Amino acid sequence: MFFTMLVLRLVHIFAAIFWGGGALLMSLFIGRGIQATGEAGQQVARQLLNKQRLHIFMSVAAITTVLAGVALYWIDSDGFSPAWMRSGPGIGFGIGGIFGLISFVTGAIFGNGNASLARIGAQVNGKPTVEQLTQIQAAQKRMQTVAPIHLVTMILAMIFMASARYFLF
Ligand code: HEM
């Protein structure tokens, strides 16, 4: 079991660092830089999404974090035993996990929006058609709605994950 826990922890924490760090960097810096630099920024976005497949790597890191996290929670709680789930660390990792899952769902909606914008952007020839404009505006609206929820729940997941083992009550 020791080896399983070691591998699960390494997988969980490495994937969480890539996903969490990537989400903060995209939300607070790269995303804003792309928006502020017009066509040049759109070219960078299309390169990151259409060529370098950034959203695929972020999705794989997010799914890996969640699956390894749930496996760790299952092992630590001895199969979701109420006694451990009501303990300090159990409550801490539980709350952190719930924030992580909300960040996962909102991140998926944001990532899909980004991928649709990059796909439509690559299809636009000169001025976007009315249909393309409607699709762009719908994707941007979805992304604007979930972006702050994704960011705040990611930060809260990080805080609870990093402190849960010290919830000794
Ligand atoms: C999405 C749902 C998540 C679940 C169910 C989950 C679950 C867990 C569990 C059960 C542990 C304890 C492992 C052990 O006993 O050794 C843990 C540790 C950890 N998790 Fe998560 N996690 C999730 C998301 C995240 C996220 C989003 C991050 C950061 C971005 C993260 C970062 C960490 C870190 C750094 C540790 C090590 C903490 C320590 O050993 O004190 N986790 N996670």
Side-chain angles (χ1 to χ4, degrees), residues 33-56:
I34 285 172
Q35 274 175 355
T37 51
E39 182 45 33
Q42 292 312 309
Q43 280 177 12
V44 172
R46 285 196 289 274
Q47 170 64 27
L48 288 175
L49 295 165
N50 296 349
K51 299 271 172 37
Q52 295 176 245
R53 303 267 174 230
L54 175 62
H55 58 299
I56 306 285

Side-chain angles (χ1 to χ4, degrees), residues 5 9 12-13 16-17 19-20 65-66 69-70 72-73 76 84 93 96-97 100-101 154 157-158 161-162 165:
M5 278 300 282
R9 272 181 65 84
H12 180 62
I13 296 173
I17 290 170
W19 178 37
T65 301
V66 171
V70 171
L72 285 165
Y73 194 91
D76 285 344
W84 188 84
F93 284 121
L101 290 173
M154 176 60 76
M158 289 174 174
M161 286 293 146
R165 68 172 46 240

Side-chain angles (χ1 to χ4, degrees), residues 1-168:
M1 181 54 84
F2 169 79
F3 188 70
T4 309
M5 278 300 282
L6 182 64
V7 170
L8 278 174
R9 272 181 65 84
L10 286 172
V11 168
H12 180 62
I13 296 173
F14 269 85
I17 290 170
F18 185 93
W19 178 37
L24 292 189
L25 207 60
M26 282 303 290
S27 307
L28 300 175
F29 295 95
I30 299 175
R32 294 179 185 189
I34 285 172
Q35 274 175 355
T37 51
E39 182 45 33
Q42 292 312 309
Q43 280 177 12
V44 172
R46 285 196 289 274
Q47 170 64 27
L48 288 175
L49 295 165
N50 296 349
K51 299 271 172 37
Q52 295 176 245
R53 303 267 174 230
L54 175 62
H55 58 299
I56 306 285
F57 285 93
M58 287 292 278
S59 306
V60 169
I63 292 165
T64 307
T65 301
V66 171
L67 292 180
V70 171
L72 285 165
Y73 194 91
W74 186 69
I75 294 170
D76 285 344
S77 65
D78 196 19
F80 303 126
S81 73
W84 188 84
M85 289 169 75
R86 279 199 292 268
S87 71
I91 292 170
F93 284 121
I95 296 173
I98 290 167
F99 283 129
L101 290 173
I102 298 170
S103 195
F104 177 77
V105 173
T106 50
I109 296 168
F110 190 90
N112 284 343
N114 244 336
S116 336
L117 285 181
R119 184 173 34 76
I120 298 165
Q123 291 161 353
V124 167
N125 203 350
K127 253 168 99 358
T129 64
V130 175
E131 197 205 339
Q132 286 171 332
L133 215 50
T134 316
Q135 289 172 351
I136 290 169
Q137 284 157 351
Q140 285 171 336
K141 194 159 180 301
R142 278 198 309 276
M143 292 167 72
Q144 273 154 16
T145 308
V146 294
I149 306 169
H150 177 56
L151 184 65
V152 171
T153 51
M154 176 60 76
I155 293 169
L156 289 168
M158 289 174 174
I159 292 170
F160 277 92
M161 286 293 146
S163 57
R165 68 172 46 240
Y166 304 104
F167 289 15
L168 304 175

